[in-house]
Amino acid sequence: MSTGTDPLAPLAELPGVPESVAEVRKAVDRLYGHRVMRRRAPEVTSEAALRGARASAALAGADWPLEEVRRRSDFSAGEQDRVIGGALRLSAEAGQLLSVWRTSPLQVLARLHLLAAGEGSSAGRPRQAGEPVDELFPLELAAAEGVAAPVAPTVQPVPVTTALPPAPMPEEAAARLDQLSRLLVARTSGAVGAAPALVVAAVVHGELLALRPFASHNGMVARAAQRIVLITEGLDPKAICPAEVGLVELGTAAYQQALAGYASGTPEGLAHWIGHCGLALGLGVRESTAVCEAMQRGMV
């Protein structure tokens, strides 16, 4: 197993991961080649942002119909309204943080949390000793679904479990977050031997969920950070593939199980997590393909 110039490159060689990377790349390329993208790409990007925001908010406990999110202009009335508003702010501003991400991921993460939280003394700052951490999966759909996570044919299955280790202490979380930031800045993106975008995005997504560096809104921040990585790494430069939609479609039980695999640190668990992120992204591609088809038929 060759490490090349990128510390994340070995993850791309785990069983099933090369196949997941290739499948996602093929699906994304097909979407970018759709004839609607040549004429109405900004509209597809806007619709993908709205659908991704709605889905991320649903995973954070505010599961509203898409048309209700589209119709509303005020998101300050209640807790669910504020969650939706935070998700929309994240989608709207993520594309403006790309250059800063390349040199200072920590600065971007603080900004993402501020956008998600909206207000309060903890907005934009890491959690401190003694602060509780919000539940990552407030809808608790895992128990309601009562099913094992779907597993991609190219990803080795892992034992069915949704048990996550407790969030690390703030000092450990801060140290690991700093290490992640240094790795992202130092790695040679796009060079020979560099890890594929899907792998980098999955690591950023999984590490932020595992660390839970903020007292709240960690899931929304992690999903927004994944979106930024997919843009900056060149896999989805126009942000038209809402992976959040795929995460909702696969279900919270599958999300939790895959994250438990990442947190285990085992090769099987890491491969399963990367494969799950690939499945979600592929479903996001399918969502935007349907949008393109509707536009082509004049329905949008």
Side-chain angles (χ1 to χ4, degrees), residues 167-180:
M169 296 296 290
E171 296 81 3
E172 180 186 348
R176 286 175 56 181
L177 197 60
D178 183 66
Q179 183 180 26
L180 176 65

Side-chain angles (χ1 to χ4, degrees), residues 6 18 43 66 72 93 169 202 215 227 234 243 251 273 287 294-295:
D6 187 347
E43 294 174 68
L66 178 63
R72 288 285 192 100
E93 192 164 321
M169 296 296 290
R227 188 181 315 127
W273 169 252
E287 182 83 359
M295 288 181 174

Side-chain angles (χ1 to χ4, degrees), residues 4 6 28 46 60 93 123 145 150 156 164 178 197-198 209 260-261 263 265 281:
D6 187 347
V28 172
S46 178
E93 192 164 321
E145 291 167 353
Q156 294 296 318
L164 298 175
D178 183 66
L198 174 62
L209 290 178
L281 186 57

